[in-house]
Amino acid sequence: YGAPGVEFTGLHKETAAVTQMHFLPGQGRLLSLLDDNTLHLWEIDQKDGYSHLEETLSFTLPGRAGFDSGSAAPCCLCVGTTSFSSHSLGPEGGGVYFLELAGFTLREDQTLYQEEILQSVPDDYRCGKSLGPVESLQEHPQDSSKILIGYSRGLVIVWDQSTRTVSHLFLGNQQLESLGWERSGRTVVSSHSDGGYMVWAIHSSCQKTLQPLMSTIPYGPFPCKAINKVLWRTCESGSHFIIFSGGMPRASYGDRHCVSILQGQTLVTLDFTSRVIDFFTVHNTEPEEEFDNPSALVVLVEEELVVLDLQTPGWPTVPAPYLAPLHSSAITCSYHISNVPLKLWERIISAGEQQSPRHSCVSWPINGGKNLAQEPSQRGLLLTGHEDGTVRFWDASGVSLRPLYKLGTANIFQTDCEHNDSLNQASEEEWPPFRKVGCFDPYSDDPRLGIQKIALCKYTSRMVVAGTAGQVLVMELSDERSDHMISVATVDLLQDREGFTWKGHDRLTPKNGSIAFGPGFQPSVLVQCMPPAAVTAVTLHSEWNLVAFGPSHGFGLFDYYRRNPVLARCTLHPNDSLAMEGPLSRVKSLKKSLRQSFRRIRKSRVSGKKRVGANSPSSKLQEANAQLAEQACPPDVEMAPVQRRIEPRSADDSLSGVVRCLYFADTFLRDASARPMLRKCGLTQGGRLCEHSCPVSPVHRAPNPSGLAQTRVALALPHPGFSPGHMPIRQGRTRPLLEPWDISEPWEGSLLSASPQVFMLPKVSAKTKFKLTAHEGCRVRKVALVSFTSLACEDYTENCLACLTNLGDIHIFTVPGLRPQVHYDCIRKEDISGIASCVFTKHGQGFYLISPSEFERFSLSTRNITEPLCSLE
């Protein structure tokens, strides 16, 4: 990584873990060390006008004769920064090897073994003991022929490679952890396992040094953990930096992950929420200058990368343009918006900047390379919902996700641990002086806060956020701070239906009185579904001031302008008892699920032997399967020679009432009259399509609840495992109907179900169908309407249907004919969470979680590809 937009990626052929990496300064080269005892040299080369990272050489370190291979495993690595001719390795066996970089060959005549070192060590120090493995190798900052070598037992030497002699000895008695040079080469700092560090002076007149200039345990006097790494950085002001990791009091704070910065009398203990991997400083000085004058501290911890500005008082953090932790809290859902209006974009950025007034204003200090990519043609937002009740806004226009704004919802409810910023800053009397740094926080105050669904209108700046405990929040973007009360409404979706008892978690209790909100999205209405099950579908119609939501047992319609419910419907089947248990108690029903599974298997085996009625769903399905087997495949469609038999869905399937998709449309439903009619469609896990129409007043642009009527209930797909998730409307000429919030154009069209099937409205009948399960043996997981623009002519565009299956494949179909166009292998079929997390964009791209902390981006369009295009001199 370099300047924003500059990225290079390399992949080792071996599957071993990378343990160390080192740049070769000024050469555009990188050295990597793997845990299989191999070294790899990488170069940044030019190709087609852009730079690429490629592996050029590799080397396997040989084991020493008479020793096992483990004795040659490198513990540390030192790359020459002046001569660039060689580098040295300190293996666990205690020897030091030198390699020629030109041919990546071992200089066997220069290998340094412990026996040679022990000849210069006093007899009383040796005591017949081994020096232990090499813990640190550091090249002299002014003389490349000298190397600082530190052994585990505590001995530190300066080895003169030109004369092959020990020029200085530092006889330490504490177990060594790390070493560091002062810039002039006249002072050495060492850190140790007892939580202390020592400063040693190099005198030209004395070869052996018994006592350090200074020895201190910063967080003593009680036992402390080891200081794993220490740096000494000089400043022109005379107040030098000593930066180290670890060293915390073992009993009180032994579980903390800290990096400490000491300058003069100022000590700050940076407290991270994950393990510290490594850190280094960035300098604005040339190598020949006398002082380091560090400008920034870069800390890599296990879950994030944090940069601190060392030139600004207080050492604030620098916002990262890349490598921000997506999983600061576990991701529970995601939502993408294309073509974001500039005004909304600027307002979101402004709200995010006001959230972090303590951030540094300096530019990003890692600025190598040059970004050659063109400015994005459109602004894309990726919203991620998290377990702790936050929604994070990311700039997804370029090659990396840049954090813009964080929305929190936990402060609306009464939780066990109230959210506040008092933990971020230590009090004056606290010791050590902790300062919380970074944004990774894996702990959630309450699992019920988790965000499940998001909907955002990019034109009216309204947003709906739905959570795990049935909470639905309607929000509006504001540029000013506000202190107001939130209206609370409860919608009972069971409607006093008998025989159902909710066994899951309780609802979240909202706070009473006014709540303070900063600039950004501020809630105005809280709609609480009862029972408080996780919301599985939500949609917003900002023109009509309506929000629709659905959990596992029904769906509702709410007018957030008048702040009253419009509709509540229960979708539970009498056998849907599992839907009433909630996510925390479904383990109890494992036996019941197994019984139902075996029951379905038995039914499918005997279905051919039993006589069924002529008008039953099973007989119709068997007749359709028989006709399908007799039909020949069309010449322009590739199909499997044998289609799979699809069994009808059993009526006693559990969770068949879970609402998977909701959609608003303003279209003809009952007849072809021009009277405004708002239609809401709901699609359940069981494949039931429910449509409701509502007349809309042309004057007040508001729905009339008295005219609301359910007009259709259609059975969609019969096969088990069907999980509908998308239900857009299209115009008659195959163009996608605008989203409900795209209010600038009129709407008309037909219904497209996630089967994939095309229905015709107002008559709910299948117009075209592609039997994906019968042909490919897979099931639909995600579908989306995608606009593909020609690579040769940007004026030509085709609108297609992208379908992600449970096997991780993506199929592209024409619309409305549903003719297969192309098929890609995208996600591993074993990656169930990756398939579930996938989101499509409007222009042929997509995102999915390749791990809990990483989004993989893919493109289905040859014209719309986002990739790093950069160069390095």
Side-chain angles (χ1 to χ4, degrees):
Y1 289 87
V6 177
E7 296 181 15
F8 304 100
T9 303
L11 181 65
H12 291 91
K13 298 177 183 178
E14 298 79 4
T15 57
V18 181
T19 58
Q20 292 189 45
M21 293 187 295
H22 298 267
F23 281 115
L24 305 185
Q27 298 188 50
R29 289 178 174 177
L30 179 70
L31 198 66
S32 62
L33 173 65
L34 307 188
D35 66 355
D36 63 354
N37 215 17
T38 60
L39 284 168
H40 301 261
L41 184 63
W42 301 81
E43 290 184 354
I44 297 180
D45 299 326
Q46 297 288 329
K47 184 187 298 183
D48 301 328
Y50 303 107
S51 297
H52 302 270
L53 184 63
E54 297 180 353
E55 182 179 356
T56 58
L57 293 171
S58 62
F59 175 80
T60 301
L61 185 67
R64 184 181 174 187
F67 292 83
D68 58 17
S69 59
S71 64
C75 292
C76 51
L77 192 68
C78 174
V79 179
T81 58
T82 306
S83 63
F84 304 128
S85 60
S86 66
H87 66 273
S88 51
L89 303 97
E92 294 179 357
V96 179
Y97 297 91
F98 295 85
L99 273 75
E100 183 71 38
L101 285 180
F104 234 33
T105 57
L106 186 66
R107 291 181 176 179
E108 297 185 3
D109 58 330
Q110 296 185 8
T111 302
L112 178 62
Y113 295 113
Q114 280 198 14
E115 290 82 355
E116 195 169 354
I117 301 297
L118 287 172
Q119 295 176 6
S120 303
V121 177
D123 294 338
D124 57 346
Y125 187 84
R126 280 184 285 181
C127 299
K129 297 180 181 178
S130 170
L131 298 178
V134 176
E135 291 292 343
S136 182
L137 286 173
Q138 301 289 333
E139 186 189 46
H140 195 288
Q142 307 297 331
D143 186 354
S144 61
S145 65
K146 295 181 179 180
I147 300 175
L148 186 67
I149 306 175
Y151 293 90
S152 176
R153 183 177 157 191
L155 176 68
V156 179
I157 69 167
V158 177
W159 175 257
D160 191 334
Q161 183 71 355
S162 60
T163 61
R164 294 195 61 81
T165 59
V166 175
S167 60
H168 286 85
L169 280 172
F170 306 97
L171 304 179
N173 294 317
Q174 286 292 338
Q175 181 177 331
L176 183 71
E177 295 292 333
S178 70
L179 290 172
W181 283 102
E182 180 263 334
R183 189 179 182 87
S184 67
R186 295 188 293 265
T187 307
V188 172
V189 60
S190 62
S191 67
H192 301 272
S193 61
D194 63 346
Y197 66 86
M198 302 178 184
V199 179
W200 306 80
I202 296 180
H203 302 286
S204 58
S205 59
C206 180
Q207 184 190 24
K208 298 181 179 64
T209 302
L210 300 179
Q211 295 296 328
L213 286 176
M214 182 184 70
S215 178
T216 181
I217 301 178
Y219 298 112
F222 299 105
C224 296
K225 301 193 72 174
I227 292 181
N228 307 110
K229 181 178 179 178
V230 64
L231 296 178
W232 179 299
R233 295 293 181 257
T234 58
C235 294
E236 197 170 356
S237 63
S239 186
H240 308 313
F241 281 97
I242 294 179
I243 306 172
F244 59 90
S245 60
M248 302 308 298
R250 187 177 297 274
S252 303
Y253 304 105
D255 58 343
R256 296 288 186 100
H257 310 288
C258 299
V259 172
S260 300
I261 306 176
L262 176 62
Q263 186 184 33
Q265 299 299 317
T266 303
L267 174 64
V268 172
T269 308
L270 305 177
D271 186 13
F272 299 92
T273 54
S274 59
R275 183 170 59 94
V276 177
I277 304 297
D278 202 359
F279 61 92
F280 65 90
T281 54
V282 180
H283 308 151
N284 293 329
T285 55
E286 298 297 328
E288 62 273 8
E289 295 187 20
E290 182 179 356
F291 300 99
D292 294 303
N293 293 325
S295 60
L297 172 66
V298 182
V299 184
L300 175 67
V301 295
E302 203 165 42
E303 304 293 351
E304 58 185 320
L305 182 75
V306 179
V307 176
L308 287 94
D309 177 11
L310 297 181
Q311 294 182 323
T312 302
W315 304 328
T317 57
V318 182
Y322 47 70
L323 291 179
L326 295 166
H327 63 311
S328 51
S329 175
I331 297 176
T332 52
C333 67
S334 53
Y335 183 80
H336 186 272
I337 308 170
S338 302
N339 301 319
V340 178
L342 178 60
K343 184 177 180 180
L344 173 61
W345 187 266
E346 292 175 343
R347 294 178 68 190
I348 291 175
I349 292 178
S350 175
E353 291 174 346
Q354 296 180 65
Q355 282 185 324
S356 306
R358 292 188 294 269
H359 280 178
S360 173
C361 298
V362 302
S363 58
W364 182 246
I366 312 298
N367 53 16
K370 185 178 181 180
N371 182 15
L372 302 180
Q374 297 181 352
E375 286 294 321
S377 59
Q378 56 93 20
R379 292 169 291 273
L381 266 181
L382 181 67
L383 278 61
T384 55
H386 297 266
E387 189 181 42
D388 62 352
T390 60
V391 178
R392 297 175 187 263
F393 291 64
W394 306 86
D395 177 4
S397 309
V399 296
S400 59
L401 293 178
R402 180 170 65 96
L404 299 179
Y405 167 70
K406 183 180 76 170
L407 166 67
T409 62
N411 62 327
I412 301 172
F413 303 99
Q414 299 177 16
T415 57
D416 294 337
C417 300
E418 294 295 334
H419 278 59
N420 56 68
D421 296 328
S422 61
L423 297 177
N424 294 346
Q425 300 296 328
S427 61
E428 295 182 359
E429 297 80 13
E430 185 178 2
W431 182 260
F434 289 116
R435 175 180 153 196
K436 187 174 177 58
V437 179
C439 58
F440 175 74
D441 185 7
Y443 307 106
S444 174
D445 290 345
D446 194 322
R448 297 174 296 173
L449 292 170
I451 305 299
Q452 296 297 323
K453 294 295 175 181
I454 304 169
L456 172 63
C457 173
K458 61 185 179 182
Y459 296 116
T460 62
S461 303
R462 288 191 181 274
M463 185 169 70
V464 175
V465 174
T468 304
Q471 70 271 29
V472 180
L473 287 164
V474 181
M475 302 186 173
E476 186 173 4
L477 184 60
S478 174
D479 300 325
E480 304 294 335
R481 296 183 178 275
S482 176
D483 194 335
H484 63 266
M485 295 182 61
I486 301 175
S487 298
V488 180
T490 302
V491 178
D492 183 10
L493 298 179
L494 289 183
Q495 300 173 313
D496 299 326
R497 182 174 293 197
E498 297 180 356
F500 293 99
T501 303
W502 174 249
K503 303 176 184 177
H505 48 247
D506 295 331
R507 59 179 289 181
L508 285 165
T509 304
K511 291 181 179 178
N512 299 320
S514 297
I515 304 175
F517 299 99
F521 283 93
Q522 300 173 355
S524 57
V525 180
L526 167 62
V527 183
Q528 179 63 55
C529 301
M530 294 303 291
V535 177
T536 54
V538 72
T539 189
L540 171 68
H541 199 305
S542 56
E543 184 186 11
W544 311 116
N545 299 320
L546 290 175
V547 58
F549 46 86
S552 58
H553 46 261
F555 57 88
L557 187 65
F558 189 85
D559 184 340
Y560 57 82
Y561 179 76
R562 296 177 177 177
R563 303 192 177 184
N564 57 12
V566 178
L567 167 72
R569 288 290 184 271
C570 181
T571 57
L572 284 178
H573 189 273
N575 293 330
D576 281 348
S577 59
L578 190 60
M580 302 304 295
E581 297 184 4
L584 303 181
S585 59
R586 290 183 181 176
V587 178
K588 301 177 182 178
S589 301
L590 178 60
K591 293 182 179 180
K592 180 179 179 181
S593 299
L594 290 174
R595 285 196 301 268
Q596 291 175 342
S597 299
F598 284 115
R599 195 173 297 143
R600 283 196 298 267
I601 293 174
R602 287 197 298 268
K603 287 182 178 180
S604 65
R605 288 177 177 174
V606 301
S607 60
K609 301 179 182 179
K610 292 185 177 181
R611 182 181 182 89
V612 294
N615 295 324
S616 67
S618 298
S619 64
K620 292 182 179 180
L621 191 62
Q622 292 174 8
E623 182 180 353
N625 282 330
Q627 293 177 356
L628 189 62
E630 297 174 358
Q631 294 176 355
C633 295
D636 54 349
V637 179
E638 295 183 3
M639 293 187 180
V642 178
Q643 295 185 7
R644 295 157 180 83
R645 187 180 185 88
I646 309 302
E647 295 296 335
R649 175 181 292 277
S650 174
D652 61 354
D653 275 355
S654 296
L655 297 177
S656 62
V658 176
V659 178
R660 291 297 182 188
C661 180
L662 292 166
Y663 194 89
F664 281 122
D666 186 9
T667 184
F668 302 114
L669 185 63
R670 295 178 178 173
D671 49 42
S673 64
R675 178 188 177 189
M677 187 74 68
L678 177 66
R679 189 179 64 81
K680 182 176 73 70
C681 289
L683 203 56
T684 69
Q685 173 76 17
R688 284 177 288 172
L689 174 64
C690 304
E691 304 167 4
H692 293 80
S693 63
C694 181
V696 179
S697 170
V699 178
H700 301 289
R701 312 289 285 177
N704 182 8
S706 61
L708 187 66
Q710 179 172 331
T711 59
R712 293 287 190 276
V713 176
L715 184 65
L717 282 190
H719 67 80
F722 169 65
S723 181
H726 195 67
M727 186 173 46
I729 306 296
R730 299 186 64 85
Q731 295 179 357
R733 296 182 178 271
T734 76
R735 294 189 60 185
L737 194 65
L738 299 178
E739 295 290 345
W741 44 77
D742 291 343
I743 58 178
S744 58
E745 299 182 22
W747 305 311
E748 58 183 1
S750 54
L751 174 65
L752 179 64
S753 170
S755 308
Q757 294 184 48
V758 178
F759 290 94
M760 298 185 66
L761 293 178
K763 178 180 165 184
V764 185
S765 60
K767 182 176 182 181
T768 55
K769 179 188 299 185
F770 182 82
K771 296 188 176 181
L772 190 66
T773 303
H775 296 162
E776 306 293 341
C778 52
R779 297 171 181 170
V780 178
R781 284 296 174 259
K782 294 287 177 68
V783 294
L785 291 174
V786 178
S787 177
F788 292 101
T789 303
S790 171
L791 185 62
C793 177
E794 62 177 325
D795 295 331
Y796 179 74
T797 301
E798 290 185 1
N799 297 297
C800 299
L801 181 72
C803 173
L804 173 68
T805 73
N806 64 323
L807 302 181
D809 303 333
I810 293 180
H811 299 258
I812 307 296
F813 299 94
T814 62
V815 177
L818 294 182
R819 178 176 300 174
Q821 296 294 295
V822 69
H823 162 235
Y824 299 107
D825 295 328
C826 184
I827 311 175
R828 294 183 303 107
K829 63 181 180 181
E830 299 84 7
D831 189 1
I832 299 176
S833 60
I835 295 173
S837 65
C838 181
V839 291
F840 290 104
T841 72
K842 301 289 186 183
H843 301 287
Q845 292 192 354
F847 299 85
Y848 71 93
L849 287 173
I850 195 173
S851 76
S853 61
E854 300 170 286
F855 268 112
E856 180 92 342
R857 187 174 195 151
F858 61 87
S859 179
L860 305 172
S861 170
T862 56
R863 185 179 186 89
N864 186 22
I865 299 177
T866 303
E867 59 181 344
L869 300 174
C870 46
S871 66
L872 183 68
E873 294 284 339

